[in-house]
């Protein structure tokens, strides 16, 4: 498979840094980025405000760390899994969506998508950076799989760029719903069935 991956896989944070990122993610999802203070993160993590600044210079840097640990690491794992895969494009696409994507869906970090949309007007630079570094890479990975499938005769000719966009947008929409509307209101949702339908 001619799908490339970045050389380095992000190592998960450990110790105090990991605890600060966990606390920050919880607070960002509960209160939003704008209203979460560095003091709040320190208190939730059980450290002093000064201790936070030993690891992060700004709240924006904390947010970047949250995204890197919770989203970018998952994306890099998907890229490496795709690069090492030796089966058909159809099987790879199914594996990427059923395994890598749904693993991310089940994580607390999946709420970052809704958070970014909610905060995008107040913090457009943060949203734009996420779109470039995360959404762009995820779409490129999906485009590579689709192009490979077309080249191998598995998939019909298609507008690869917009097909990838449509697929990823449908998943982002479901993530926003999952973090906005209670499950009992939304009704039963079978994520594997949804992936198969998409």
């Amino acid at each position: 498979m001619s799908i490339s991956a970045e050389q380095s896989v992000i190592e998960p944070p450990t110790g105090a840094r990991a605890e600060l990122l966990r606390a920050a993610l919880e607070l960002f999802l509960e209160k939003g980025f704008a209203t979460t203070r560095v003091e709040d993160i320190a208190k939730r993590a059980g450290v002093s405000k000064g201790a936070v600044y030993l690891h992060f210079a700004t709240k924006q840097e904390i947010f970047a760390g949250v995204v890197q640990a919770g989203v970018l690491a998952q994306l890099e794992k998907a890229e490496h899994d795709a690069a090492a895969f030796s089966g058909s494009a159809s099987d790879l696409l199914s594996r990427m969506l059923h395994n890598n994507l749904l693993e991310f869906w089940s994580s607390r970090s999946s709420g970052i998508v809704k958070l970014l949309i909610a905060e995008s007007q107040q913090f457009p630079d943060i949203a734009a950076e996420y779109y470039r570094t995360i959404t762009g890479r995820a779409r490129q990975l999906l485009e590579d799989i689709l192009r490979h499938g077309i080249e191998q005769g598995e998939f019909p000719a298609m507008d690869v760029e917009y097909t990838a966009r449509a697929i990823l947008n449908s998943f982002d929409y479901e993530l926003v719903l999952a973090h906005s509307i209670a499950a009992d209101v939304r009704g039963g949702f079978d994520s594997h069935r949804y992936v198969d339908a998409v």
Side-chain angles (χ1 to χ4, degrees):
M1 172 103 10
S2 60
I3 294 172
S4 61
E6 299 289 329
Q7 290 301 309
S8 62
V9 175
I10 293 171
E11 292 295 323
T14 57
R17 185 178 176 88
E19 189 59 25
L20 286 167
L21 292 176
R22 180 201 60 76
L25 174 60
E26 289 177 358
L27 287 164
F28 290 156
L29 295 180
E30 290 169 16
K31 301 172 64 173
F33 178 80
T35 56
T36 297
R37 301 173 306 157
V38 172
E39 302 90 83
D40 300 329
I41 296 170
K43 183 177 180 181
R44 178 72 62 97
V47 299
S48 68
K49 182 179 175 182
V52 177
Y53 290 113
L54 293 174
H55 298 275
F56 304 99
T58 64
K59 189 169 72 167
Q60 285 84 351
E61 195 174 295
I62 297 172
F63 184 80
V66 165
V67 170
Q68 184 177 60
V71 184
L72 190 55
Q74 288 275 1
L75 177 56
E76 283 199 359
K77 180 179 180 297
E79 289 171 339
H80 280 267
D81 288 350
F85 192 79
S86 59
S88 69
S90 300
D91 288 344
L92 175 57
L93 182 60
S94 178
R95 177 176 172 167
M96 288 290 102
L97 298 180
H98 279 286
N99 295 346
N100 297 84
L101 178 74
L102 294 186
E103 182 180 333
F104 172 65
W105 268 23
S106 66
S107 73
R108 187 97 165 116
S109 297
S110 64
I112 290 173
V113 175
K114 180 199 170 191
L115 174 67
L116 279 163
I117 292 171
E119 303 278 3
S120 61
Q121 291 203 335
Q122 192 168 1
F123 300 98
D125 291 345
I126 292 175
E129 181 63 18
Y130 181 93
Y131 191 81
R132 280 192 299 270
T133 60
I134 305 294
T135 305
R137 274 176 71 173
R139 194 161 58 224
Q140 184 62 58
L141 175 59
L142 187 51
E143 288 177 14
D144 288 347
I145 296 170
L146 295 176
R147 285 193 183 95
H148 182 72
I150 293 168
E151 290 166 5
Q152 298 302 309
E154 293 180 61
F155 302 150
M158 68 181 80
D159 184 333
V160 169
E161 180 184 349
Y162 277 80
T163 300
R165 186 183 293 261
I167 290 170
L168 291 177
N169 287 351
S170 70
F171 288 121
D172 282 349
Y173 176 73
E174 286 296 333
L175 273 184
V176 170
L177 286 182
H179 287 275
S180 304
I181 301 171
D184 57 338
V185 175
R186 292 172 61 219
F189 182 79
D190 183 331
S191 57
H192 287 284
R193 183 178 170 190
Y194 184 76
V195 165
D196 286 337
V198 171

